[in-house]
Amino acid sequence: MSEKFLKEGHTVIATSLEIESLKSLAEVYDRCERESIDINDEESISETVEKVVDKFGRIDILINNAGVPAVGALLDIDLETAQRCVNTNVFGTLKVSKIVGLHMAKRGKGKIVNIGSVMGYASTPWAGIYALSKAATHSMSDTLRMELKPFGVQVIVVAPGAIKSNFATAGAKLVHVPEDSLYISVSKYIIGRASASHAPGSTSTDKFAAHVVKKILDPVSPKYITFGQSSWLFFVFYYLPVFIRDFVLSKMFGVGMIRIQN
């Protein structure tokens, strides 16, 4: 989305723990500034926000898009992986929102955009921790939206469907099915879950960014921007009776193929 904002003529302060990863973007666009930030460190967040405000005078839009994947059966998943996912996706987002939200509230204007997921609508087998983190992000954003509305600050949730990105690649590297797992017989489904967003028909990042940025730049943005391949399906799952949702998702992700080991 950073590139789309830049193409629209806006100044972007792109942040990352690994600032060198932003080098190519900054080299192409003069209006792109780079800043290093650790969203799990409040001091790092405060220093970066203060630096940006001192230089530019304000922050109009905050995009909380830092995210960590977590794929695996809940009984198998490494707790360190689970905690890293939740700490980054939920508490990291909250830490940045608190500091930037205070600045925006004092100005009486601003937008906070939190990247959720269609997984926040309906969890699937083999992605329980990630879904948990995104459901929490949705819930947190709903509360933040109500609490910041009196101060003129809008809070938007972006819930992507299947989008072609490097995120799935990162998730695939973290998947591990132990040899003694109860789910060893469906390991291919678990491993395949990590790259599900790269399935044929997945939405391109350019198309996704164009749609989302347009909505964010509207004077009054939607409270939820749900977009991307299969996103409509998860939106439907949210409203379906639980027994139907469980049946369909279990079939999609191979739960019925599990073989009980004696």
Side-chain angles (χ1 to χ4, degrees):
M1 283 193 287
S2 293
E3 188 168 10
K4 182 59 179 176
F5 276 112
L6 288 163
K7 287 180 178 179
E8 293 287 329
H10 300 278
T11 298
V12 170
I13 296 84
T15 62
S16 175
L17 185 60
E18 302 291 341
I19 195 169
E20 283 302 307
S21 65
L22 306 170
K23 184 178 180 180
S24 59
L25 189 64
E27 287 176 343
V28 175
Y29 298 96
D30 294 335
R31 293 183 308 280
C32 181
E33 301 271 338
R34 294 183 297 159
E35 294 291 342
S36 178
I37 191 171
D38 180 356
I39 67 166
N40 290 309
D41 182 342
E42 290 190 58
E43 185 176 345
S44 172
I45 299 167
S46 294
E47 289 176 355
T48 301
V49 170
E50 185 177 345
K51 186 176 180 180
V52 171
V53 172
D54 285 345
K55 184 171 184 177
F56 296 97
R58 68 186 192 275
I59 298 174
D60 295 314
I61 300 171
L62 166 67
I63 310 287
N64 278 314
N65 68 336
V68 171
V71 179
L74 286 178
L75 296 188
D76 292 338
I77 200 158
D78 176 69
L79 286 181
E80 185 177 336
T81 298
Q83 289 168 347
R84 183 166 58 249
C85 176
V86 174
N87 284 340
T88 299
N89 297 0
V90 181
F91 294 112
T93 295
L94 178 58
K95 288 172 185 175
V96 180
S97 296
K98 284 178 62 178
I99 294 169
V100 178
L102 183 60
H103 159 73
M104 290 178 172
K106 288 179 178 178
R107 284 186 61 226
K109 187 178 182 181
K111 292 185 180 183
I112 295 175
V113 182
N114 292 331
I115 306 300
S117 170
V118 292
M119 296 287 291
Y121 296 139
S123 183
T124 74
W126 328 133
I129 294 297
Y130 182 74
L132 176 158
S133 74
K134 291 306 181 179
T137 298
H138 289 199
S139 178
M140 177 175 64
S141 301
D142 289 342
T143 297
L144 196 61
R145 183 178 62 249
M146 291 184 282
E147 293 178 349
L148 284 177
K149 184 177 180 179
F151 301 97
V153 180
Q154 298 180 51
V155 178
I156 302 108
V157 175
V158 175
I163 310 296
K164 293 178 182 177
S165 70
N166 292 328
F167 192 77
T169 303
K173 292 179 180 178
L174 296 175
V175 182
H176 172 65
V177 183
E179 291 184 3
D180 61 349
S181 170
L182 295 174
Y183 309 100
I184 193 68
S185 59
V186 291
S187 57
K188 69 175 183 179
Y189 287 95
I190 297 173
I191 294 169
R193 183 66 189 88
S195 56
S197 62
H198 281 187
S202 297
T203 303
S204 70
T205 52
D206 288 344
K207 184 177 180 180
F208 173 75
H211 178 86
V212 172
V213 169
K214 183 179 182 298
K215 297 291 185 181
I216 292 172
L217 292 176
D218 285 343
V220 179
S221 297
K223 296 175 178 62
Y224 276 75
I225 303 172
T226 304
F227 188 74
Q229 200 261 344
S230 297
S231 58
W232 66 271
L233 183 60
F234 280 80
F235 195 66
V236 170
F237 283 148
Y238 181 75
Y239 291 101
L240 281 176
V242 174
F243 77 95
I244 297 177
R245 185 175 67 209
D246 286 358
F247 174 79
V248 175
L249 289 172
S250 293
K251 190 173 182 63
M252 286 175 62
F253 294 100
V255 173
M257 303 298 290
I258 293 172
R259 296 294 175 261
I260 306 300
Q261 304 294 320
N262 294 324

